[in-house]
Amino acid sequence: MHVSVRRFASVVVGGLLLVAAAVACDSPTGLGSGRLNLLLTDAPGDVVKAVVTIDRIYLQPSEDSDAGRIVLLEDDVTTDLLTLADSLHSLIQGATIPEGSYTQLRFVISGAYLEVEGTGATNEIYASSPTYAGLPAGAVVTGSLQMPSFAQTGIKVTLPGDAVTIGDDEIVTLVVDFDVSQSFGKAAGASGMWVMTPVLHGSIPPTL
């Protein structure tokens, strides 16, 4: 049976409240610091399950340099994106961020699987690896879910205005929309594999 995911403004990852230990070498401005809340939501889609493991999240001032990179999350978080409905949770709450403008927010995804309706009576599972730790016990993997370089370079989040600016003593809340309907697709041809091409957009809501 298909599960239809309905979008809403401020749904976030699977019941976890994580206070990020923000790690930075230098402030982009050398001045004060503000705080960042990071929420994750999903856009509409029609799949049975879309499970991902977020291995790391980081923020940095420039795409060309790792200088000033701030690691927001280093503990694995595994969640079914289709469960992000009718509840409100924080992925990162109150992370201390050096004052400045940031153009890069990336999610490192170490593994994932997609469950879709099969042609018979059972569903089919496509996984980044047949030994992916996020798979349910006893799962039979039908085929491969391709995730090109997401475990190394991470997935870039499109930021509002191409950057997020955090002022001294300012609290910024950023909602990241993981568009399930556009992020998974079946590969062309007879390979039978699925491909993960994540579409993530960041927005700053006026209120939550």
Side-chain angles (χ1 to χ4, degrees):
M1 178 178 178
H2 279 292
V3 177
S4 180
V5 183
R6 293 177 175 82
R7 181 177 184 174
F8 65 103
S10 53
V11 181
V12 293
V13 152
L16 293 177
L17 175 61
L18 300 176
V19 179
V23 179
C25 296
D26 299 297
S27 166
T29 63
L31 300 176
S33 64
R35 293 189 177 273
L36 176 71
N37 302 322
L38 186 63
L39 313 180
L40 183 68
T41 185
D42 64 309
D46 287 306
V47 293
V48 179
K49 286 187 179 180
V51 175
V52 300
T53 297
I54 302 169
D55 188 58
R56 191 166 71 258
I57 300 173
Y58 63 85
L59 187 70
Q60 64 189 49
S62 170
E63 186 173 359
D64 300 327
S65 172
D66 294 344
R69 175 179 290 186
I70 299 165
V71 177
L72 301 172
L73 176 69
E74 289 187 292
D75 296 325
D76 290 355
V77 175
T78 299
T79 186
D80 181 357
L81 296 173
L82 271 67
T83 64
L84 306 182
D86 302 329
S87 59
L88 179 64
H89 303 282
S90 293
L91 179 60
I92 294 169
Q93 183 70 32
T96 301
I97 308 295
E99 177 184 12
S101 182
Y102 298 86
T103 64
Q104 287 284 295
L105 175 64
R106 288 186 178 267
F107 282 60
V108 177
I109 306 292
S110 59
Y113 81 84
L114 187 70
E115 184 175 339
V116 299
E117 282 192 349
T119 55
T122 59
N123 294 332
E124 297 178 348
I125 292 177
Y126 296 84
S128 56
S129 166
T131 59
Y132 168 50
L135 286 166
V140 177
V141 176
T142 305
S144 174
L145 174 63
Q146 297 297 302
M147 291 176 36
S149 74
F150 299 146
Q152 289 77 43
T153 60
I155 303 164
K156 181 180 177 179
V157 179
T158 302
L159 297 173
D162 296 325
V164 170
T165 300
I166 299 175
D168 189 23
D169 290 331
E170 182 181 14
I171 298 175
V172 175
T173 296
L174 183 65
V175 176
V176 176
D177 182 343
F178 198 129
D179 193 331
V180 173
S181 65
Q182 296 186 44
S183 295
F184 300 92
K186 197 165 187 178
S191 66
M193 72 175 60
W194 283 68
V195 181
M196 184 176 177
T197 54
V199 177
L200 285 79
H201 297 282
S203 63
I204 299 176
T207 58
L208 286 177

